[in-house]
Amino acid sequence: MADGTQVKQIYMDLCSETGKTPHAYIMRQLDLGLCEVSSGAYLLNLAGNNHLLNGGERIEDNDMSELCEAIRQSSCISEVDLRYNRLTDLSALLIASLLKDSLTLEALNLMCNEFTKEGAKNIAESLHDNSTLKMLKLNGNKIGNEGGMHIAAMLQVNTGLQILDLNDCDLGMESVLAVATVLRQNKFIQSVNVGRPLLFSVQEETTVHMGLMLSVNTVLRELHLVKYDLRDFGVERLAEGLYENPTLRHLDLSSNRITRDGAKYLGKLLERNQILEVLELGQNRLENDGAITLANSLRRNFALRSLSVVNNKIEGPGLVQLADCLEVNRTLDKIYIWGNILDEEACKAFKALLGKLRLSEENTDVRAYEGGNKEVFLSQVNHGPNTYYYYSPLYGPESAINHRSLMHNNYDSPVQVAATE
């Protein structure tokens, strides 16, 4: 933590000039200090869902003028977290002005505020000539199809942005197609999330374009298509695009309509693609046949490190096959299975993996225990990918996630705390 006295003094002076009372939460956070995320660069964490510190008083439009000016004058601040506040399009104008002038701001989290298409337009236009900002999270803001089109237009000319989160933004088909089309040529975006778009077609046009994009894109490392209404046909198109893709490391297809037929295409992908490291398939319908198909393919895959198949209606035989494949595949070290049908054979198989230390308790979401008659059961452990995507704990070792760079935070649980922290 670094002393926030200088930033606090700038903020107080600005409030004095305008005759406003400094916001208590901002003052309290500056008193606690800034989080150093790299040498000489600091994170200003003003997340609105920190009720223990803000007393329920979130940052609003009326507080943003002085805050943005203080950030502009504080060259040490490289990342700002403003999620879960009450910022509207009026604040977007101030943020856009800040982005036009700032030469140090690299990461901005605006998750779950109240921006609409107008706010998205102003922020997008400010990024046309900005090459400093590397991460922008707009997820949870209902910018709609028009707002998404402004973001896509920005991506055509922006040369700095690397991480873009548009999850749950009510994007329409046109804006998703536009993003997929732009990413064919964009050489800077490394991670994109376009989850939960509002699609009113069952022909999966957007998925086809995503697959075509993946076949030519040589920069993208992470793609999230959560709640994308993805079916088996779409999985086939994505797999075809990934057969020769040299860069994608993380593919998130959670909460879709993938069945055992889609698992066949994913199985072929795992056998041919030795680049993909993280595959999230939670909340689909793989069932036993899909799990067995994946297990067989994983015996010939030596790149995947993390697999999530939670809530897929997989029964004992499928889970046992997944456990058995870990005896052959020594690369896969994280697997998440909770929410499936954990019968006695499945419980014994995962207890054996945990007992032999082939699988660490930190790298799975189950823990084995014995009942009164020596029966083996599995209980849930709150571990998994994106556990802290929407919230982060304030106390305990997991609270270390609040002091990390927004750029390099994967929101997994448990948080791996470095020895130096």
Side-chain angles (χ1 to χ4, degrees):
M1 302 290 286
D3 190 359
T5 304
Q6 182 180 2
V7 181
K8 178 183 176 181
Q9 188 60 53
I10 294 172
Y11 175 66
M12 291 176 64
D13 290 344
L14 290 168
C15 290
S16 178
E17 291 175 8
T18 57
K20 292 182 181 178
T21 302
H23 195 285
Y25 178 43
I26 298 175
M27 296 290 286
R28 194 174 295 118
Q29 287 294 79
L30 291 174
D31 283 336
L32 290 174
L34 304 174
C35 305
E36 186 171 20
V37 292
S38 62
S39 179
Y42 297 90
L43 162 67
L44 177 58
N45 190 337
L46 296 173
N49 61 340
N50 191 339
H51 301 295
L52 295 178
L53 290 178
N54 67 15
E57 296 184 10
R58 306 185 187 216
I59 298 172
E60 300 182 1
D61 293 335
N62 190 48
D63 308 307
M64 285 299 292
S65 178
E66 293 76 20
L67 177 60
C68 286
E69 185 60 33
I71 294 171
R72 183 185 283 107
Q73 295 183 26
S74 305
S75 59
C76 64
I77 297 178
S78 65
E79 303 184 7
V80 179
D81 190 345
L82 286 167
R83 57 186 162 150
Y84 291 111
N85 283 294
R86 296 195 177 103
L87 308 182
T88 70
D89 294 338
L90 295 175
S91 293
L93 282 170
L94 298 169
I95 292 170
S97 176
L98 171 63
L99 291 172
K100 287 180 180 179
D101 299 336
S102 176
L103 298 176
T104 58
L105 192 60
E106 295 185 351
L108 182 59
N109 188 349
L110 299 173
M111 168 183 178
C112 293
N113 278 281
E114 300 172 16
F115 301 124
T116 67
K117 61 184 180 182
E118 290 301 321
K121 177 183 177 182
N122 291 322
I123 292 173
E125 289 178 350
S126 72
L127 291 174
H128 282 199
D129 298 318
N130 180 301
S131 59
T132 305
L133 194 74
K134 294 181 171 59
M135 191 207 81
L136 176 64
K137 286 176 68 69
L138 285 171
N139 50 315
N141 291 281
K142 307 306 180 182
I143 64 175
N145 191 58
E146 189 174 337
M149 293 299 289
H150 290 300
I151 298 294
M154 174 270 294
L155 292 177
Q156 289 184 298
V157 295
N158 180 278
T159 59
L161 202 61
Q162 297 175 8
I163 301 172
L164 177 62
D165 193 339
L166 297 175
N167 182 37
D168 196 17
C169 285
D170 287 357
L171 302 182
M173 180 180 293
E174 294 85 355
S175 54
V176 176
L177 290 175
V179 170
T181 302
V182 169
L183 289 179
R184 295 190 193 188
Q185 304 296 328
N186 186 289
K187 301 299 181 184
F188 304 95
I189 291 289
Q190 297 180 15
S191 172
V192 66
N193 187 333
V194 288
R196 209 200 73 92
L198 302 183
L199 306 176
F200 299 98
S201 170
V202 296
Q203 298 182 25
E204 301 199 73
E205 297 94 333
T206 56
T207 309
V208 171
H209 280 75
M210 284 291 177
L212 293 172
M213 177 273 293
L214 290 170
S215 68
V216 297
N217 186 290
T218 58
V219 180
L220 195 66
R221 296 174 61 87
E222 191 169 329
L223 178 62
H224 296 264
L225 301 177
V226 181
K227 297 181 182 178
Y228 201 74
D229 204 23
L230 185 66
R231 295 171 169 81
D232 297 329
F233 171 79
V235 172
E236 184 179 11
R237 302 284 82 79
L238 289 176
E240 289 173 352
L242 283 170
Y243 283 154
E244 306 301 331
N245 183 286
T247 58
L248 196 77
R249 299 290 193 274
H250 187 150
L251 180 62
D252 186 357
L253 303 179
S254 303
S255 301
N256 283 293
R257 303 189 183 190
I258 305 171
T259 71
R260 61 185 183 182
D261 295 328
K264 294 178 182 178
Y265 304 121
L266 291 172
K268 293 178 182 178
L269 171 65
L270 291 173
E271 292 180 22
R272 293 181 56 173
N273 181 304
Q274 299 294 326
I275 302 294
L276 193 66
E277 295 180 357
V278 180
L279 180 59
E280 297 183 45
L281 299 172
Q283 292 82 42
N284 280 286
R285 294 179 293 179
L286 299 181
E287 302 179 311
N288 273 349
D289 290 345
I292 292 171
T293 298
L294 291 178
N296 290 334
S297 297
L298 285 170
R299 288 181 169 89
R300 294 181 285 276
N301 177 282
F302 304 101
L304 198 73
R305 302 184 62 85
S306 176
L307 174 67
S308 174
V309 290
V310 300
N311 294 300
N312 265 280
K313 298 184 178 180
I314 304 173
E315 300 177 353
L319 294 170
V320 169
Q321 286 294 313
L322 285 172
D324 288 347
C325 82
L326 266 65
E327 300 289 355
V328 177
N329 184 318
R330 311 302 293 184
T331 307
L332 183 65
D333 54 17
K334 296 182 180 181
I335 185 167
Y336 306 100
I337 63 165
W338 185 259
N340 293 295
I341 302 168
L342 304 174
D343 66 10
E344 185 176 1
E345 294 304 315
C347 294
K348 289 180 177 178
F350 276 87
K351 180 187 177 183
L353 286 176
L354 291 165
K356 291 185 289 188
L357 302 181
R358 170 61 187 88
L359 187 62
S360 167
E361 228 180 60
E362 292 187 341
N363 293 336
T364 187
D365 56 351
V366 294
R367 177 181 296 154
Y369 69 95
E370 290 187 358
N373 296 321
K374 300 298 182 181
E375 310 101 320
V376 178
F377 299 97
L378 296 177
S379 61
Q380 184 182 18
V381 182
N382 190 31
H383 295 167
N386 296 314
T387 300
Y388 298 133
Y389 178 77
Y390 286 106
Y391 86 104
S392 52
L394 300 178
Y395 296 102
E398 303 271 280
S399 65
I401 201 168
N402 296 305
H403 310 309
R404 292 189 166 188
S405 168
L406 301 175
M407 288 284 295
H408 307 296
N409 206 331
N410 62 9
Y411 307 104
D412 287 357
S413 172
V415 177
Q416 301 297 327
V417 183
T420 57
E421 293 182 349

